[in-house]
Amino acid sequence: MTFFHQFRFNFRCRAFLLLLVFGFAFFGCSGGGDSGDNQTVETGVIAFSLKIDGEGIQQEQRLSNGAQFDCEANGIALIEIIVYDEFDDVIAFGGPFECEAGEGIISGVEAGVDRTVEVLAKDGSGATIFRGEVTGIRVVAGQTTEVGPVTLFPVLNRPPVLDVIGPKNVSEGDPLEFTITAMDPDADNRLSFSASNLPPGAAFDPDANVFQWMTEFGDAGVYTVLFVVTDTGDPPLSDSETVTISVGDVNRPPVFEPIGDKIAKTGELLTFTISAEDPDGDMLTYQATNLPEENLFDPGTQTFAWIPEREDVGNYLVLFTVVDDGEPPESDTEAVTITVGATNRPPEFDPIGDRQVNEGELLEFQVTATDPDDDFLFYEATGLPEGSEFFPETQVFEWQTGFQDAGNYEVTFMVADDRDPPLSDSAVVIITVGQINRPPEFDPIGSVIGGVEGDPIQFRVTAEDPDGDDLAFRAENLPFGASFNSQTQTFFWSPGFQDAGSYPVTFVVVDNGDPPLSDEIQVVITVGDRNRAPTLTPVGDRLVNLADFIESTPFLEFTVSGSDPDGDDLIFSAENLPMGVESEATFDSATRTFSWLGITSSDLGRYQVRFTVTDNGSPPLSDFEDVTITVADNDPPFFISIGDITAGGGTIEVIESEGSPVALDVQASDPNEDLFTFGATGLPDGAAVDPATGTLSWEFPVEGTYEIRFIVTDDGVPTLSDTQTVNLIIEPESILF
């Protein structure tokens, strides 16, 4: 077990007397604060004796033979006694006091069990050099309990020492801040600080050792705070100081509830009560000085009462004062002007008369009045038209009328004097605003509206009439083919391809006001030239059959042509011209002529040439055709018949019935007796062509017209083909009854 208790100062303090019978006596304090100051606590007495642990001290400090306790021989100058309850709370303490003997008694110790007595023996510097304790002591009320001897053991650790803090004083509402410091004779110890019994609102920072308290009004009083410093020795030791903090009461002045100036009439009672608040709740006394007459103010009821006479007309400055009973006394003062007026007569307006103005014009006039008592007059107006204003200071009515303000308006002007109660007069003025017609105005549309040839130009013109009149629209100088719908106010024109140019059109709007007024705008409609593409006259595929040239050299020559809807100049060109083994094709763009001379059997094959025509418009546009030129020593096959219809001569029609399967026979021949195959495009769903026989089969034909292109191709070199377009008409099945 340890030989001491650290200080745990949960104080419950009452006075007690501690006597050491061998040479010293002292007063201490015992607990009881938790039970209340008026509660009686039963107490007893502890009698104790002391001895030194002889093994734990230096030889020269040992006691002489036969001696029980020798203060001087053991270097003991002071003794301090602490008594703890079963919760380790201090219930009695005393000292330090001079050491003379080793026995004593402690009276006034609260009765109970598990009491602990701790004894601290200190040297002349106040450092503890011996400690001892006895635990488990039972204190019986009204009896003496023998304890001891209490063995004192040498202390290797020396306690820290608080620097003197001393009592502190502060006034209500002021901050209090101070730092506590301490020193420890054992330099390797670290110190920790604590504080207990802090006043409400106060704080102690154990890291910075700083006490802080921002006192408030109402904190006046005396507070005791225990500051403790503890070292980290083994065992840890402490020092403490109980600091008294006195918060001085600060008196704050009372504050008047606003009284305000007063107006009195001759022959009538003027009475009012004054009051004030004191933030400290002090008793208040009231007084008034510079009264018009004596005894007009009762300090007890805080009431002023006065019936002024006719000769009292005038102004009186009365000073009211309130004083508290604080230390020192504080006060507040308010000066009140009492104005006494004679019997009041009403003011009267000077004639104003009704007023007339036209829309858009400014109406301004001043109203005036006279008061028989020459009182100060206040003016106001009610029923003011929107946008108008009345200036009471100058009595001027002002209205910049608008063009929607036509009509009659009733405005009431009022004048009142400054008496209590005030008297007044009023005048009603009829303001007539005449209507003025204003012209309509076109909404912005732009001075130029553009389009191009071939595209429709459409737009709508709109206008606003500030008077909301009905409007009628018309257009003048319309271009040929253009129209204007006056109901929808819509202009429409689809210019042709010869209409490029600028066309000024005038639009007019007229209201139905009196007199009617109008507005007009001129819009230039600009039609831009649109270039149209030229058309290349169909060239068609070309065949050079060497078999046809028996007595001459094979060649191919033809001219291309085209047209332009705008009459633009045309330029012709050709791309991918054939280049034979012994010859090559040419194209003369000036004459538009394609020429290929000296064609031989080495040139057999197909050649795709693109012919293009381009105009000189902006931007330039063109047309082209891809022409297949076939050089063959072969004649193409040809169709003979489709069904019962002879082939050739363009598109042919074949009619079949919806109720029966279609089996359309196709016949063809080849001059060179080459083998050939059949095909078709544009076949309806479910239909098929036999490539060997050319027969078109369709098991479930559906009503309708189908354009089918039949193709027959031989196996010559190069292969050649023929086509035939057929309109296959499937008629609905006839039903006979």
Side-chain angles (χ1 to χ4, degrees):
M1 65 178 281
T2 59
F3 298 110
F4 67 97
H5 290 268
Q6 293 188 35
F7 289 113
R8 287 150 290 189
F9 290 101
N10 298 324
F11 288 112
R12 299 171 296 165
C13 192
R14 288 187 300 273
F16 73 94
L17 175 66
L18 185 149
L19 298 173
L20 294 181
V21 299
F22 292 102
F24 58 88
F26 55 88
F27 285 96
C29 188
S30 68
D34 290 342
S35 301
D37 291 339
N38 298 322
Q39 183 175 343
T40 300
V41 177
E42 293 182 333
T43 62
V45 176
I46 294 176
F48 64 90
S49 61
L50 305 176
K51 74 173 185 175
I52 297 293
D53 174 28
E55 297 299 325
I57 60 175
Q58 298 294 331
Q59 183 65 35
E60 60 270 23
Q61 293 178 314
R62 293 189 185 277
L63 300 174
S64 57
N65 291 334
Q68 290 296 313
F69 194 83
D70 189 332
C71 295
E72 182 177 358
N74 290 284
I76 300 173
L78 302 171
I79 294 292
E80 188 173 286
I81 309 297
I82 305 170
V83 182
Y84 301 91
D85 64 10
E86 65 270 27
F87 303 109
D88 286 341
D89 290 335
V90 176
I91 59 174
F93 64 91
F97 301 98
E98 293 183 2
C99 176
E100 295 181 3
E103 293 182 345
I105 62 171
I106 307 172
S107 62
V109 179
E110 184 178 337
V113 297
D114 281 338
R115 302 300 191 239
T116 297
V117 172
E118 180 181 13
V119 180
L120 305 178
K122 301 184 178 185
D123 62 15
S125 67
T128 301
I129 57 177
F130 292 94
R131 276 189 183 76
E133 70 175 15
V134 178
T135 61
I137 301 170
R138 179 178 182 183
V139 178
V140 179
Q143 297 183 20
T144 298
T145 300
E146 297 288 340
V147 175
V150 180
T151 302
L152 300 182
F153 293 88
V155 176
L156 301 180
N157 181 33
R158 290 174 294 171
V161 178
L162 270 176
D163 295 331
V164 177
I165 304 171
K168 303 294 181 180
N169 298 288
V170 66
S171 295
E172 283 181 321
D174 289 342
L176 175 62
E177 179 176 323
F178 56 87
T179 302
I180 65 173
T181 58
M183 60 82 63
D184 192 289
D186 303 311
D188 57 345
N189 283 342
R190 287 180 289 106
L191 301 180
S192 61
F193 296 84
S194 63
S196 60
N197 204 33
L198 292 172
F204 179 72
D205 184 345
D207 296 324
N209 316 338
V210 175
F211 172 90
Q212 290 180 316
W213 186 16
M214 183 63 227
T215 64
E216 298 180 356
F217 291 99
D219 287 340
V222 178
Y223 303 82
T224 57
V225 179
L226 179 66
F227 294 95
V228 179
V229 60
T230 303
D231 65 16
T232 56
D234 185 13
L237 299 178
S238 305
D239 189 18
S240 65
E241 181 178 344
T242 299
V243 176
T244 299
I245 299 175
S246 300
V247 181
D249 182 57
V250 175
N251 187 31
R252 289 172 290 173
V255 179
F256 261 123
E257 296 290 339
I259 304 171
D261 294 338
K262 306 294 180 179
I263 297 177
K265 289 185 178 180
T266 56
E268 297 181 9
L269 173 65
L270 171 65
T271 182
F272 55 89
T273 300
I274 63 174
S275 62
E277 294 288 338
D278 189 273
D280 303 313
D282 295 337
M283 292 291 295
L284 302 178
T285 57
Y286 297 84
Q287 61 187 41
T289 57
N290 203 30
L291 293 169
E293 300 176 9
E294 294 183 1
N295 302 322
L296 297 181
F297 179 69
D298 184 344
T301 62
Q302 301 136 240
T303 302
F304 175 93
W306 184 29
I307 301 177
E309 301 296 334
R310 188 71 181 180
E311 60 272 15
D312 294 325
V313 171
N315 295 324
Y316 301 85
L317 185 65
V318 178
L319 195 65
F320 292 95
T321 303
V322 58
V323 183
D324 66 15
D325 62 349
E327 181 63 41
E330 297 287 346
S331 64
D332 188 20
T333 301
E334 182 173 346
V336 176
T337 298
I338 300 176
T339 300
V340 179
T343 302
N344 190 25
R345 290 171 293 174
E348 185 175 345
F349 267 116
D350 298 326
I352 303 173
D354 295 338
R355 303 289 172 142
Q356 293 80 34
V357 66
N358 287 326
E359 286 180 322
E361 294 179 352
L362 174 67
L363 175 63
E364 185 178 60
F365 58 88
Q366 184 183 43
V367 298
T368 58
T370 56
D371 188 275
D373 303 315
D374 291 329
D375 293 334
F376 184 82
L377 300 180
F378 301 93
Y379 294 83
E380 64 176 312
T382 60
L384 291 172
E386 184 177 355
S388 67
E389 195 169 1
F390 179 69
F391 301 95
E393 297 83 2
T394 58
Q395 302 121 252
V396 172
F397 172 89
E398 186 177 285
W399 186 16
Q400 177 59 59
T401 61
F403 285 94
Q404 304 297 328
D405 292 333
N408 294 323
Y409 302 85
E410 184 177 288
V411 179
T412 300
F413 294 94
M414 291 170 287
V415 60
D417 60 20
D418 60 350
R419 296 296 185 92
D420 186 12
L423 298 181
S424 62
D425 187 20
S426 64
V428 176
V429 175
I430 304 298
I431 299 175
T432 301
V433 180
Q435 186 173 29
I436 298 296
N437 187 31
R438 291 170 294 167
E441 186 174 345
F442 270 109
D443 296 325
I445 190 175
S447 59
V448 177
I449 295 179
V452 294
E453 291 177 327
D455 285 351
I457 299 174
Q458 179 174 310
F459 57 88
R460 185 170 180 265
V461 296
T462 58
E464 297 288 338
D465 189 274
D467 303 314
D469 296 336
D470 293 335
L471 301 178
F473 295 83
R474 70 175 186 269
E476 300 173 353
N477 198 31
L478 290 172
F480 178 78
S483 64
F484 179 72
N485 187 324
S486 61
Q487 299 302 313
T488 63
Q489 301 132 246
T490 302
F491 172 91
F492 180 81
W493 184 26
S494 184
F497 286 96
Q498 305 300 323
D499 290 331
S502 297
Y503 303 84
V505 178
T506 300
F507 295 94
V508 180
V509 60
V510 182
D511 68 12
N512 65 343
D514 186 14
L517 298 178
S518 63
D519 187 22
E520 67 178 43
I521 57 172
Q522 186 178 75
V523 177
V524 176
I525 299 173
T526 301
V527 179
D529 181 57
R530 165 170 281 174
N531 186 29
R532 290 172 290 173
T535 302
L536 185 67
T537 304
V539 180
D541 294 341
R542 301 298 173 119
L543 172 65
V544 179
N545 193 347
L546 300 183
D548 294 338
F549 295 87
I550 299 174
E551 297 180 357
S552 62
T553 302
F555 72 95
L556 177 63
E557 186 174 79
F558 57 87
T559 301
V560 297
S561 63
S563 61
D564 189 273
D566 302 314
D568 296 335
D569 293 335
L570 301 178
I571 301 172
F572 294 84
S573 61
E575 301 174 61
N576 300 324
L577 292 171
M579 181 174 289
V581 176
E582 300 177 7
S583 65
E584 64 178 69
T586 63
F587 180 75
D588 188 338
S589 60
T591 62
R592 311 184 305 283
T593 302
F594 172 88
S595 296
W596 190 8
L597 305 178
I599 302 173
T600 67
S601 59
S602 62
D603 297 324
L604 294 177
R606 284 190 176 87
Y607 304 87
Q608 189 174 69
V609 180
R610 172 168 290 188
F611 294 94
T612 303
V613 59
T614 305
D615 65 14
N616 66 343
S618 180
L621 300 177
S622 61
D623 188 21
F624 68 90
E625 182 181 349
D626 290 328
V627 176
T628 300
I629 299 174
T630 304
V631 178
D633 196 1
N634 180 29
D635 292 315
F638 58 89
F639 281 101
I640 299 173
S641 63
I642 308 293
D644 297 334
I645 309 299
T646 302
T651 302
I652 63 176
E653 289 186 354
V654 176
I655 301 174
E656 298 289 337
S657 174
E658 184 180 21
S660 303
V662 174
L664 191 61
D665 184 44
V666 178
Q667 298 292 325
S669 179
D670 187 277
N672 307 116
E673 297 183 355
D674 294 332
L675 296 177
F676 50 82
T677 57
F678 294 91
T681 60
L683 290 171
D685 291 342
V689 170
D690 187 326
T693 65
T695 301
L696 183 148
S697 301
W698 191 7
E699 186 175 359
F700 302 105
V702 179
E703 178 188 354
T705 298
Y706 305 91
E707 184 178 275
I708 303 172
R709 185 171 179 262
F710 288 90
I711 305 170
V712 59
T713 304
D714 67 13
D715 62 349
V717 179
T719 60
L720 298 177
S721 60
D722 187 21
T723 62
Q724 177 64 59
T725 301
V726 175
N727 278 341
L728 177 59
I729 301 173
I730 306 299
E731 294 183 338
E733 181 181 7
S734 299
I735 301 176
L736 300 177
F737 297 93

